[in-house]
């Protein structure tokens, strides 16, 4: 083998070449890359043929490398050749052993296969059962994942059926976000997923229906809620809230707004929409609906001249805002203060317009105005307690004060007329001290002018008219103060309202009623009592001012601001009444005088004063006794005028042209009547009369009778026109009138002048009478 491998027999010729070491190094590098390359060698070949490389030189280097490897192979083969030969020989010797082993292995395999056939069948069955077990385990795992989903879905349906929408939405959210993703691979999960939006929409619809039901419910409960709120404020203020109630039997003690209105629907709706993330649309819908309902409450078409409608409007407004205030306090942003303020501004404008538009039509109805004012005042207090501004409404109430004052004065006119018409014009008699105190409380008069006795019964100077009228004035002030209470008026404004109203009442109502009363046919005693009443009312102005000052809390220094100038009405009316008293007395005197029946041709007097004179004197005494409670000056004046009128009427009787003849007996009777009148005049029927003041009214009549009866013609004629004339009051005209009547009485037997022409004496008397008449006529003509 070594010989066959000898290089000399290979046929290869070694051509010695001389190669540059650098090129050789590069060729070796390329050969190394060829050795280690496991892929394409095209880039190596390209590099061999490119550039300055000489392929022949590379081949030479490659041959050298091959020779080196051949030499290495020959060395290795030479070293292991004998071992190889031996290994081949050993392998050939093992061939028979291998065949024997093969036969044994095949036999053993057949035996094992036959033995394991049963085990294989059992293994197949075991594999099949294991597959069943795995499927069952997978099914159980699937069911354990699906059952919570199905349970939650059933629970969701039950919650919806039971109207438990808030937990239903929570269950729906859990089902959608947590449970369904676990069973997405199952068909039923897709069905459930498709049903969830439907359930969500159903819940939203139910929530909206609940909200609508709530809105309808609260619109029916405005009035009860308003009555509840007003009753609470009225209780704090100590007022009676029943006058504001529609249902007078309602009771709201220990109740709250939540006891009247069920707010759970709006809370549920708010929670549901918060979960559904539709809060904005929910709030917008709620506010829009509440605005519509607020506009229905502020119905401008209602007849506001009805107190019932005023109550419904005001209670409705209170109920609306109390409910909204509760909603705002118990929900998160459903409504805000800006929404409430806007609605309140609308309500304020509505009320201002209603007051301005409707109240002028009821200006004469004081009770209506007062009730509206009370309703609005309590309404303002209620709304103020909830934080709403009420100054604009209160300002509108201030504008009502003049209207109320006029209405109050108008009503007072009728009341005063009834007081004047129903009075008995009889001085009050009190039986006990309690009755006296009761009268004094009604009419604090000056006790110095009354009966000072401490015993009862006691007679007061005035009739019930004075206390009633004073009490009415006081009630008038109280009603004004009640009307202006809570209007935040200054003391000056309050004083001004009271002063103007009282003075208007006095100047308009009282003056007109007294003028009408005095223009009627009051009897004399009624006139006297009326004059006394007016005197005490005239002096009660200061008392009323003090009472007003006490009511409004004015100090003594501030009382002057409540100057009641209208009390002069009582003085004017008293003067008018007093001026009619003498007229009435004179009318009664005329009635008595009309009863006079003289026998002008009587031969002698009857021996006493005439009956009509005695009756007249008795009447005058009685009348003048009632003057004790009148102002002294008025009593004096009435007494003077009465005596003056009596004197004039007696003189008229004596000189009546229809009386042609007056006998001496008639003159004597007339003189007795005159004496009776003079006696009455001298009796001073009224205190503070000057001496002979009343008698002086009879001087003319007395001097005329004395002149004619005593025939002192010479004295009269001699002193006529001189100072100190005894018959200064007798004019020639008067003397002539009476002397002519007595001259014609000569036919009577007992005449003072008998013209008997049978003797000289009678002739002389006749001549004397003629001469006196002639002188008197001369004086009359000369005086003329």
């Amino acid at each position: 083998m070594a010989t066959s491998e000898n290089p000399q027999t290979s046929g290869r010729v070694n051509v010695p070449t001389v190669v540059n070491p650098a090129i050789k190094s590069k060729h070796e590098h390329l050969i190394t890359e060829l050795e280690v390359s496991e892929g394409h060698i095209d880039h190596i070949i390209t590099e061999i043929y490119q550039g300055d490389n000489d392929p022949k030189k590379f081949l030479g280097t490659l041959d050298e490398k091959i020779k080196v490897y051949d030499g290495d192979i020959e060395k290795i083969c030479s070293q292991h050749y004998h071992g190889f030969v031996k290994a081949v020989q050993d392998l050939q010797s093992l061939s028979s052993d291998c065949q024997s082993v093969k036969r044994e292995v095949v036999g053993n395999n057949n035996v094992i296969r036959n033995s394991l056939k049963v085990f294989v069948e059992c293994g197949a069955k075991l594999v099949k059962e294991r597959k069943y077990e795995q499927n069952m385990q997978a099914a159980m795992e699937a069911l354990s994942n699906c059952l919570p989903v199905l349970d939650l879905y059933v629970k969701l349906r039950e919650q919806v059926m039971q109207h438990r929408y808030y937990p239903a939405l929570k269950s729906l959210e859990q089902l959608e976000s947590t449970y369904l993703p676990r069973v997405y691979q199952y068909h039923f999960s897709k069905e459930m997923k498709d049903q969830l939006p439907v359930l969500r929409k159903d819940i939203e619809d139910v929530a909206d229906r609940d909200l609508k039901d709530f809105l309808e419910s609260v619109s029916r409960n405005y009035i009860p809620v308003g009555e509840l709120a007003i009753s609470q404020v009225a209780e704090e203020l100590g007022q009676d809230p029943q006058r504001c109630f529609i249902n007078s039997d309602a009771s709201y003690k220990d109740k709250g707004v939540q006891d009247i209105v069920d707010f759970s629907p709006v809370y549920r709706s708010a929670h549901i929409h918060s979960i559904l993330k539709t809060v904005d649309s929910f709030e917008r819908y709620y506010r829009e609906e509440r605005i519509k309902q607020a506009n229905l409450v502020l119905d401008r078409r209602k007849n506001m001249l009805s107190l019932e409608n005023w109550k419904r409007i005001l209670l409705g407004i209170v109920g609306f805002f109390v409910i909204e205030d509760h909603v705002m306090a118990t929900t998160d942003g459903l409504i805000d203060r800006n929404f409430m303020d806007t609605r309140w501004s609308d309500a304020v404008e509505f009320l201002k317009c209603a007051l301005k538009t409707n109240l002028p039509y009821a200006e004469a109805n004081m009770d209506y105005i007062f009730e509206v004012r009370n309703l609005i005042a309590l309404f303002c207090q209620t709304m103020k307690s909830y934080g709403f501004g009420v100054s604009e409404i209160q300002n509108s109430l201030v504008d009502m004060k003049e209207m109320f004052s006029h209405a109050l004065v108008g009503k007072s006119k009728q009341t005063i007329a009834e007081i004047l018409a129903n009075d008995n014009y009889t001085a009050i008699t009190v039986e006990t001290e309690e009755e006296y105190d009761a009268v004094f409380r009604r009419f604090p008069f000056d006790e110095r002018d009354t009966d000072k006795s401490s015993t009862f019964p006691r007679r007061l100077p005035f009739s019930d008219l004075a206390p009633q009228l004073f009490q009415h004035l006081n009630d008038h002030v109280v009603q004004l103060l009640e009307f202006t209470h809570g209007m935040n008026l200054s003391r000056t404004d309050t004083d001004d309202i009271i002063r103007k109203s009282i003075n208007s009442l006095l100047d308009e109502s009282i003056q007109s009623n007294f003028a009408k009363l005095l223009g009627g046919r009051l009897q004399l005693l009624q006139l006297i009592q009326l004059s006394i009443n007016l005197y005490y009312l005239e002096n009660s102005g200061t008392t009323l001012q003090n009472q007003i000052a006490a009511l409004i809390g004015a100090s003594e220094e501030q009382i002057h601001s409540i100057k009641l100038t209208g009390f002069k009405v009582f003085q004017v009316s008293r003067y008018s009444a007093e001026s009619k008293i003498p007229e009435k007395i004179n009318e009664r005197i005329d009635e008595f005088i009309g009863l006079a029946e003289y026998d002008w041709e009587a031969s002698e007097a009857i021996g006493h004063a005439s009956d009509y004179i005695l009756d007249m004197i008795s009447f005058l005494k009685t009348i003048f006794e009632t003057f004790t409670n009148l102002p002294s000056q008025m009593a004096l004046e009435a007494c003077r005028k009465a005596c003056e009128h009596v004197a004039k009427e007696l003189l008229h009787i004596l000189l009546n042209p229809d009386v042609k003849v007056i006998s001496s007996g008639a003159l004597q009777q007339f003189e007795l009547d005159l004496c009776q009148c003079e006696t009455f005049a001298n009796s001073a029927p009224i205190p503070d009369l000057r001496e002979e003041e009343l008698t002086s009214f009879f001087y003319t009549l007395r001097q005329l009778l004395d002149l004619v009866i005593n025939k002192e013609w010479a004295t009269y004629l001699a002193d006529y026109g001189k100072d100190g004339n005894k018959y200064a009051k007798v004019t020639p005209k008067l003397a002539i009138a009476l002397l002519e009547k007595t001259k014609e009485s000569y036919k009577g037997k007992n005449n003072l002048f008998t013209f008997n022409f049978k003797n000289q004496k009678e002739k002389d008397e006749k001549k004397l009478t003629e001469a006196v008449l002639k002188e008197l006529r001369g004086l009359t003509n000369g005086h003329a």
Side-chain angles (χ1 to χ4, degrees):
M1 288 181 65
T3 304
S4 64
E5 295 295 331
N6 194 316
Q8 291 179 357
T9 64
S10 62
R12 181 180 296 170
V13 178
N14 292 325
V15 182
T17 57
V18 180
V19 182
N20 188 336
I23 293 173
K24 186 177 181 179
S25 176
K26 186 176 180 180
H27 288 167
E28 289 178 353
H29 174 71
L30 293 174
I31 292 170
T32 302
E33 286 186 0
L34 287 173
E35 290 176 351
V36 300
S37 175
E38 295 179 354
H40 298 286
I41 61 172
D42 51 349
H43 66 285
I44 300 173
I45 296 173
T46 301
E47 189 174 353
I48 292 172
Y49 284 93
Q50 286 182 351
D52 297 333
N53 295 326
D54 185 355
K56 291 180 178 183
K57 291 180 180 180
F58 176 76
L59 290 174
T61 304
L62 183 60
D63 286 338
E64 290 178 0
K65 192 69 175 177
I66 292 171
K67 289 177 180 180
V68 173
Y69 285 142
D70 287 342
D72 291 337
I73 291 170
E74 287 178 359
K75 289 178 180 180
I76 292 171
C77 288
S78 296
Q79 292 174 357
H80 298 285
Y81 177 75
H82 296 289
F84 176 73
V85 172
K86 186 178 185 302
V88 170
Q89 290 174 352
D90 290 339
L91 185 60
Q92 288 177 350
S93 66
L94 288 174
S95 174
S96 60
D97 294 335
C98 288
Q99 291 294 326
S100 177
V101 172
K102 178 179 178 182
R103 287 190 297 269
E104 289 179 2
V105 169
V106 170
N108 290 334
N109 180 56
N110 292 330
V111 173
I112 292 172
R113 284 176 68 86
N114 292 329
S115 300
L116 293 178
K117 185 175 182 180
V118 176
F119 292 101
V120 171
E121 292 176 357
C122 291
K125 290 181 180 180
L126 182 62
V127 170
K128 187 176 180 180
E129 294 299 329
R130 181 59 60 91
K131 185 65 175 178
Y132 288 157
E133 182 182 4
Q134 289 177 351
N135 290 341
M136 291 173 64
Q137 187 67 33
M140 291 174 64
E141 290 179 359
L143 287 175
S144 64
N145 289 332
C146 293
L147 281 176
V149 178
L150 295 173
D151 289 340
L152 187 58
Y153 185 76
V154 171
K155 181 181 178 181
L156 169 62
R157 300 293 299 199
E158 289 177 351
Q159 288 170 337
V160 173
M161 293 292 293
Q162 295 170 0
H163 307 294
R164 298 170 59 210
Y165 300 114
Y166 182 69
L169 282 174
K170 289 292 186 182
S171 299
L172 189 148
E173 184 178 7
Q174 289 179 338
L175 192 63
E176 190 173 36
S177 61
T178 304
Y179 289 88
L180 282 181
R182 298 176 183 175
V183 293
Y184 70 93
Q185 67 272 27
Y186 302 110
H187 179 72
F188 74 87
S189 69
K190 183 177 182 304
E191 295 292 331
M192 286 185 181
K193 188 174 182 180
D194 293 339
Q195 285 295 317
L196 293 184
V198 177
L199 288 174
R200 183 181 284 107
K201 185 64 170 63
D202 291 343
I203 294 174
E204 184 177 358
D205 292 341
V206 170
D208 291 339
R209 284 197 301 272
D210 278 353
L211 178 61
K212 290 178 182 179
D213 293 341
F214 169 77
L215 293 174
E216 292 178 4
S217 172
V218 296
S219 65
R220 294 191 298 268
N221 287 306
Y222 288 153
I223 290 178
V225 172
E227 290 178 344
L228 166 67
I230 283 182
S231 65
Q232 292 172 345
V233 173
E235 184 178 352
E236 294 176 0
L237 298 175
Q239 298 181 12
D240 180 17
Q242 289 291 333
R243 63 187 178 188
C244 298
F245 286 3
I246 300 296
N247 180 10
S248 59
D249 297 330
S251 176
Y252 299 100
K253 188 176 181 180
D254 300 327
K255 283 187 177 181
V257 63
Q258 63 275 10
D259 297 321
I260 300 175
V261 178
D262 180 14
F263 290 94
S264 57
V266 75
Y267 298 152
R268 285 197 302 268
S269 297
H271 290 157
I272 290 171
H273 282 280
S274 66
I275 295 174
L276 296 175
K277 295 181 173 53
T278 55
V279 174
D280 291 341
S281 62
F282 168 71
E283 291 178 354
R284 183 167 57 253
Y285 175 77
Y286 179 85
R287 295 185 183 188
E288 289 174 354
E289 291 301 311
R290 294 300 277 158
I291 290 173
K292 293 177 183 177
Q293 291 186 333
N295 293 334
L296 290 176
V297 172
L298 307 177
D299 187 359
R300 299 180 183 271
R301 296 171 296 176
K302 286 186 178 179
N303 177 17
M304 300 307 289
L305 295 177
S306 166
L307 279 176
E308 188 77 7
N309 285 340
W310 270 108
K311 290 180 181 180
R312 291 187 179 278
I313 287 290
L314 295 177
L315 289 173
I317 293 174
V318 173
F320 177 87
F321 283 100
V322 169
I323 290 171
E324 290 307 283
D325 183 76
H326 187 83
V327 170
M328 184 175 68
T330 55
T331 58
D332 185 15
L334 182 55
I335 56 173
D336 53 19
R337 175 52 62 177
N338 183 54
F339 174 84
M340 296 281 279
D341 290 341
T342 303
R343 303 286 75 73
W344 176 243
S345 297
D346 294 341
V348 169
E349 290 301 320
F350 170 81
L351 291 176
K352 287 167 60 179
C353 181
L355 288 171
K356 184 178 180 181
T357 304
N358 294 280
L359 286 185
Y361 295 103
E363 184 173 2
N365 191 342
M366 185 271 293
D367 293 333
Y368 169 80
I369 297 175
F370 191 71
E371 284 300 321
V372 170
R373 182 267 172 206
N374 287 337
L375 290 174
I376 294 180
L378 191 53
F379 167 82
C380 288
Q381 292 291 339
T382 303
M383 298 310 298
K384 187 176 180 180
S385 68
Y386 283 90
F388 294 97
V390 296
S391 58
E392 291 187 45
I393 303 177
Q394 289 178 331
N395 291 337
S396 297
L397 287 180
V398 173
D399 296 336
M400 292 171 60
K401 66 182 185 298
E402 294 292 338
M403 187 183 305
F404 177 76
S405 178
H406 289 312
L408 191 58
V409 170
K411 183 178 181 182
S412 294
K413 189 172 183 178
Q414 180 180 355
T415 304
I416 293 169
E418 292 174 356
I419 292 174
L420 298 182
N422 297 330
D423 190 55
N424 58 8
Y425 295 97
T426 302
I428 298 174
T429 300
V430 290
E431 301 293 337
T432 63
E433 188 171 356
E434 288 75 14
E435 291 183 13
Y436 181 87
D437 293 340
V439 173
F440 190 81
R441 283 193 297 270
R442 291 171 60 204
F443 183 41
F445 55 90
D446 190 349
E447 296 180 286
R448 294 174 298 179
D449 297 334
T450 62
D451 182 7
K452 305 300 190 298
S453 64
S454 59
T455 60
F456 289 93
R458 186 184 301 178
R459 189 178 180 85
L460 301 178
F462 44 80
S463 69
D464 198 47
L465 181 149
Q468 283 194 42
L469 204 53
F470 184 85
Q471 185 64 43
H472 180 73
L473 291 172
N474 193 66
D475 292 344
H476 185 92
V477 174
V478 171
Q479 286 179 308
L480 282 173
L481 290 176
E482 288 180 357
F483 187 82
T484 57
H485 178 69
M487 291 187 180
N488 298 324
L489 297 177
S490 66
R491 251 278 320 289
T492 303
D493 291 337
T494 303
D495 295 348
D496 187 59
I497 292 171
I498 294 174
R499 183 179 64 256
K500 286 182 178 180
S501 184
I502 289 292
N503 289 333
S504 175
L505 174 63
L506 293 168
D507 291 339
E508 296 176 15
S509 298
I510 291 182
Q511 186 176 26
S512 62
N513 276 290
F514 274 114
K516 184 177 180 180
L517 179 67
L518 291 171
R521 298 188 62 80
L522 287 176
Q523 300 299 318
L524 176 59
L525 292 178
Q526 291 177 323
L527 268 176
I528 294 172
Q529 186 60 61
L530 179 61
S531 180
I532 295 170
N533 293 340
L534 289 169
Y535 171 76
Y536 278 92
L537 287 170
E538 177 187 345
N539 294 326
S540 66
T542 303
T543 302
L544 184 60
Q545 286 181 186
N546 293 334
Q547 288 190 353
I548 294 173
L551 288 172
I552 64 176
S555 62
E556 293 184 2
E557 295 77 10
Q558 297 169 330
I559 292 179
H560 68 277
S561 64
I562 319 172
K563 187 67 175 177
L564 302 178
T565 58
F567 267 78
K568 291 181 180 179
V569 167
F570 293 119
Q571 185 183 56
V572 173
S573 299
R574 179 172 64 84
Y575 286 162
S576 178
E578 290 174 355
S579 68
K580 291 182 180 295
I581 289 175
E583 296 177 7
K584 289 293 183 181
I585 294 176
N586 291 345
E587 288 177 3
R588 289 288 290 144
I589 290 173
D590 291 341
E591 292 177 5
F592 286 110
I593 295 295
L595 299 175
E597 293 182 356
Y598 284 101
D599 182 3
W600 295 112
E601 296 181 3
S603 59
E604 60 182 11
I606 60 176
H608 59 79
S610 302
D611 291 340
Y612 85 93
I613 287 292
L614 295 176
D615 292 341
M616 182 179 67
I617 297 301
S618 176
F619 161 75
L620 290 175
K621 286 181 179 179
T622 303
I623 290 299
F624 291 153
E625 285 175 0
T626 64
F627 283 7
T628 54
N629 293 319
L630 284 175
S632 59
Q633 189 60 37
M634 180 267 160
L636 290 171
E637 186 65 23
C639 191
R640 292 187 188 106
K641 289 185 177 181
C643 290
E644 182 182 12
H645 188 67
V646 170
K648 287 182 179 180
E649 289 301 314
L650 289 176
L651 183 61
H652 176 72
I653 290 174
L654 188 62
L655 302 179
N656 188 349
D658 295 335
V659 178
K660 304 299 182 181
V661 177
I662 298 179
S663 66
S664 59
L667 278 179
Q668 290 170 0
Q669 182 62 46
F670 196 85
E671 198 265 344
L672 286 175
D673 293 343
L674 178 60
C675 288
Q676 191 68 35
C677 292
E678 289 174 333
T679 301
F680 169 74
N682 287 322
S683 67
I686 297 296
D688 301 328
L689 280 169
R690 297 192 303 274
E691 187 178 358
E692 296 187 357
E693 183 176 0
L694 298 181
T695 311
S696 64
F697 294 111
F698 299 96
Y699 280 172
T700 300
L701 195 56
R702 167 52 61 192
Q703 290 178 13
L704 178 60
L705 286 177
D706 287 347
L707 176 61
V708 175
I709 292 173
N710 297 329
K711 303 181 209 178
E712 294 184 346
W713 299 110
T715 303
Y716 176 79
L717 294 172
D719 296 339
Y720 180 77
K722 297 179 180 179
D723 293 336
N725 184 1
K726 182 180 178 180
Y727 299 105
K729 295 290 184 180
V730 180
T731 63
K733 189 175 181 180
L734 290 176
I736 292 171
L738 184 56
L739 192 57
E740 288 283 358
K741 295 178 186 294
T742 59
K743 183 183 74 171
E744 296 298 329
S745 66
Y746 67 91
K747 293 181 179 180
K749 183 178 179 180
N750 294 319
N751 285 348
L752 179 63
F753 298 98
T754 58
F755 296 95
N756 190 346
F757 297 100
K758 294 182 179 181
N759 53 61
Q760 188 63 38
K761 184 179 179 180
E762 293 174 350
K763 292 180 181 179
D764 292 340
E765 288 180 356
K766 180 181 178 183
K767 288 181 181 179
L768 178 60
T769 301
E770 294 292 344
V772 170
L773 287 171
K774 184 178 180 181
E775 289 292 336
L776 291 173
R777 290 187 183 99
L779 291 174
T780 303
N781 294 332
H783 182 70

